[in-house]
Amino acid sequence: MANVVVVGAQWGDEGKGKIVDWLSERADVIARFQGGHNAGHTLVIEGEVYKLHALPSGVVRGGKLSVIGNGVVLDPWHLLNEIAGLREQGVTITPETLMIAENTPLILPIHGELDRARESQNNIAKIGTTGRGIGPAYEDKVGRRSVRVADLADDATLELRVDRALVHHDALRRGLGMEPVNREELIAKLREVAPQILEYAAPVWKVMNEKRKAGKRILFEGAQGALLDIDFGTYPFVTSSNVIAGQAATGTGIGPGAIDFVLGIVKAYTTRVGEGPFPTELDDENGQRLGERGHEFGTTTGRKRRCGWFDAVLVRQTCATSGVNGISLTKLDVLDGFETLKICVAYELDGKRIDHLPTAADHQARCTPIYEEIPGWSQSTEGARSWADLPAEAIKYVRRIEELIDCPVAMLSTSPERDDTILVTDPFAD
């Protein structure tokens, strides 16, 4: 059976939650493979709005196994609050429906404190972090000083892991003028939360491989977007993990040969939250119109998103680095009523035309977009469920995007409602 990876192909906020939910109806397992609770996915199901941050989007679908993989960094307190909130909305979450990899690193309160202190004292170049401790938690992971889910099961191991982390953190805190960590209080908090987290703990790599061998369909869900990838994003204005599709394998413990289809989620225009380069950003009434019509505010932070025209250069680049087989184009309806639309087809850098976003930050900052204009449409595309429901100009816009990014459209989303979707290519097809 086909297994599908879903990745954001821009700077995040492309509408992954709805698409994952749409696909999850046909999947048996839905696995988060990177990121933390700084990601936000909004699902609208039969008028009910669900806002997810740490949990995979599949949790709102009965009869599915949702998995938090080892590539994620997990705030246990946030997770339990999120579970409680969903239960109040009638969602059933049990160890039979949710599984957490035993080797998942934990986000501790000290990570959030460090994150916020650094950002507040950084007068050189702010990154635009959400302050939730994701970056410092990933630093501890690669620094081999994380407290992981499995460590919660043994007091001696837990204390050893905390002590190792505090050697590093207390030194940093002194340099930032912060008080030392209260060791006993931190250990007490972890002991208190341990039983509630451990009931979901499992060897996810083993379960995932068993599910695959049994012919179960697996949906791999990423957070953020490929342009925030730690290696291939607009560094240093990026997240602290690999976001591209290859992370689905290492972030869950399943081999790359298990991936059959990579679906890139792409918004019909471009948005970005936080700092960093944005070649097609609009500071005019068109940018304001996109933001208002698209309700462009972050699910997690509530921060207003920066808006701009569709950037085919960037999407072509992310489709290449993630090996995207097809894209799901979302929010096409937000473009309804524009007399003329623009698509960025290349950049100009120091008088030369280039066809990719350069790696050097100073070069990125000097890139100016080269636009191609395309006629807009006056009819509404909201709620369209077939090509016949779309105006001819909207179809031309979609086809032109396919040509420019060198990747076909597999799905087309025309509203937040899960059924307002046009399926072109079935990612789960064998």
Side-chain angles (χ1 to χ4, degrees), residues 293-314:
R293 294 205 58 192
H295 307 290
E296 297 297 350
F297 296 91
T299 302
T300 301
T301 63
R303 289 187 293 180
K304 184 178 180 180
R305 297 177 187 136
R306 301 153 63 189
C307 297
W309 296 121
F310 186 85
D311 192 331
V313 179
L314 290 180

Side-chain angles (χ1 to χ4, degrees), residues 72 75 85-86 98 103 114 143 145 156 167 207 230 246 250 259 347 369 376 427:
V72 172
D75 183 325
L86 287 174
L98 175 65
N103 51 339
L114 177 60
R145 53 181 174 265
V167 169
V207 174
I230 188 68
T250 53
I259 298 170
Y347 301 133

Side-chain angles (χ1 to χ4, degrees), residues 1 52 100 126 220 232 329 379 381 405 420 430:
M1 306 295 281
L52 307 177
I100 304 171
K126 292 186 181 295
F220 299 89
F232 294 100
L329 193 65
Q379 307 96 309
T381 62
I405 67 173
D420 291 341
D430 298 335

Side-chain angles (χ1 to χ4, degrees), residues 12 41 92 115 120 137 200 208 221 238 247 256 282 288 292 302 306 313 346 359 375 378 391 393 424:
H41 291 172
T92 300
D115 206 358
S120 66
Y200 299 105
M208 293 284 283
E221 176 185 7
V238 293
Q247 179 64 16
L282 296 171
Q288 183 176 350
E292 291 174 353
R306 301 153 63 189
V313 179
T359 301
S378 57
E393 293 82 1
V424 182

Side-chain angles (χ1 to χ4, degrees), residues 170-361:
D170 279 339
L172 282 177
R173 292 166 76 97
R174 280 195 299 272
L176 291 167
M178 302 170 68
E179 293 293 320
V181 176
N182 186 323
R183 174 186 183 273
E184 287 69 29
E185 181 180 306
L186 176 57
I187 290 173
K189 286 181 177 179
L190 287 166
R191 284 176 176 156
E192 181 182 7
V193 81
Q196 301 169 75
I197 296 298
L198 287 170
E199 67 174 318
Y200 299 105
V204 158
W205 69 268
K206 184 174 184 292
V207 174
M208 293 284 283
N209 280 279
E210 289 171 350
K211 295 290 186 183
R212 181 197 177 197
K213 289 178 181 177
K216 302 299 183 182
R217 285 177 168 165
I218 303 172
L219 185 61
F220 299 89
E221 176 185 7
Q224 290 97 24
L227 291 170
L228 295 174
D229 184 272
I230 188 68
D231 287 307
F232 294 100
T234 48
Y235 191 91
F237 305 100
V238 293
T239 193
S240 299
S241 61
N242 285 113
V243 180
I244 60 176
Q247 179 64 16
T250 53
T252 59
I254 200 165
I259 298 170
D260 300 299
F261 193 97
V262 178
L263 182 69
I265 314 301
V266 179
K267 198 177 287 186
Y269 49 101
T270 312
T271 63
R272 175 165 201 171
V273 171
E275 308 297 325
F278 186 169
T280 66
E281 183 173 10
L282 296 171
D283 293 319
D284 57 11
E285 60 181 17
N286 285 326
Q288 183 176 350
R289 182 178 177 184
L290 288 171
E292 291 174 353
R293 294 205 58 192
H295 307 290
E296 297 297 350
F297 296 91
T299 302
T300 301
T301 63
R303 289 187 293 180
K304 184 178 180 180
R305 297 177 187 136
R306 301 153 63 189
C307 297
W309 296 121
F310 186 85
D311 192 331
V313 179
L314 290 180
V315 176
R316 183 171 62 245
Q317 198 161 319
T318 57
C319 284
T321 55
S322 273
V324 173
N325 300 105
I327 68 165
S328 174
L329 193 65
T330 66
K331 290 198 168 185
L332 183 67
D333 55 301
V334 174
L335 300 180
D336 293 352
F338 279 89
E339 185 175 339
T340 302
L341 300 170
K342 293 184 180 181
I343 300 176
C344 175
V345 297
Y347 301 133
E348 183 178 299
L349 174 62
D350 299 336
K352 295 182 179 179
R353 181 183 177 114
I354 60 174
D355 63 357
H356 68 284
L357 186 70
T359 301

Side-chain angles (χ1 to χ4, degrees), residues 8-39:
Q10 293 159 306
W11 276 295
D13 309 308
E14 302 95 348
K16 292 182 294 296
K18 170 196 166 170
I19 301 302
V20 169
D21 175 63
W22 194 90
L23 291 168
S24 68
E25 192 169 44
R26 301 182 57 207
D28 302 295
V29 181
I30 298 92
R32 268 282 305 272
F33 60 83
Q34 55 78 219
H37 63 298
N38 54 340

